[in-house]
Amino acid sequence: MRHHYLLFFTLFSTYFGLSMVNPLIAPMLRELRLDETQISMVFAIAAVSLFASSLVWGDYCEKHGRRKLLVHGIFHFSFAYLLFAFVIQLGFANWISFSLLFAFLLLIRLYGGVVFGAVLTGAQALMADLTHVKERTSGMALLGAANGLGMILGPAFASILVLWDWTVPVYFAALFPLVMGWIWMRKGPDEPVRRKEYRPHSEKLSLFDRRIFPYLFMTVLVHLVIVILQVTAGLYFTDQLGVSVKTAAQWISLSMFAMGTAAFLGQMVIVRLWNPSYTWLLRLGAPVMFLGFFGFLQSVSLSGMVLSFAGIGLGVSLMLPGCLSAISLNAGEESQGAAAGLSGVANGIGAMAGPVAGSFLYEVHPVVPFECCLWVLSGMIVMACLIKPQTKEHTEPVFHKR
């Protein structure tokens, strides 16, 4: 069990850093005279590299081991943030030209997306190896809770550290993963050993494998609607509700805090203590997300928005562990690395498509992005009710630690 929580804190260290730095990137780069298109490119290239690298990391994970991938990924993640902070400092000091600054930022974000994909793939595959099949959903929920806790604490720490300097939160974001990487080298578990009958002689897992495609598709849709919400909610507050930009920033901060808190509590309490089957998580999570988005469109007050975001976060806390455990269980125990890589691909597709879809739909009308999210969630409710498991959800484990 202690190895499960070691994985939790390792993944939390990366999500904590992301949640500290990502909200600061746009204002920080605007101070460096980058325009909106250039800032969007800096964001987008990380999502593209996460998507493109996840398949590669899945194969690497199968050939060279999960622990090696995770440890290398966490150290490189820390180094990427150190480079990012250093280049930002050079930019503020006017020690490099604007074009060179922009090129370095793109390269570092590209590098950061690639190594973050390694961390996600290694952590998910290792959790699958270290859990009994009947504990798989609970284990995946623990990894998801790391995201929720990072979403809660990251912005809070960033709001304090940024008072000293723009780059202080970025350097701090690099420190925590560095510590966790060192702990993994000292205290991390040995690589789980496969039984001989499970050596990889089976057909290679693919994105469109019928055993896992429905769950990968639902993973894409969950990330898609969440990113659309994150991209357009602040604009919606100012344009439709008539609040000031400063008030809108406060509302979105409190709403995101509520979403992160609900997601963390849902995964740590409901999923881990109840430990339901993934089918029930999917069938419950999609309607809860639908009600959250519906409440968002009906709300005109801060309290209503906070409650709506909390509902959405609760739905996400059920949907994502359900999708991840379904992918893991249906992929087969001999393909856990590939399954983790494909989960990263699904994550990347949603992260890439969300900003584009959200911006385009918002230009049509400010309400349209959220109405489309409701239609997507309606389809997910139907899918969750129709999907039948392809494998038994409670069987004996096939991996053992040394």
Side-chain angles (χ1 to χ4, degrees), residues 218-240:
M218 294 178 80
T219 303
V220 171
L221 296 181
V222 171
H223 285 288
L224 175 68
V225 297
I226 292 303
V227 172
I228 288 176
L229 179 67
Q230 292 173 338
V231 168
T232 57
L235 299 174
Y236 179 84
F237 290 162
T238 56
D239 295 341
Q240 292 297 105

Side-chain angles (χ1 to χ4, degrees), residues 349-376:
I349 293 173
M352 286 190 299
V356 177
S359 300
F360 173 76
L361 293 172
Y362 195 87
E363 289 294 324
V364 176
H365 192 277
V367 175
V368 170
F370 312 109
E371 291 178 339
C372 289
C373 288
L374 286 175
W375 282 107
V376 169

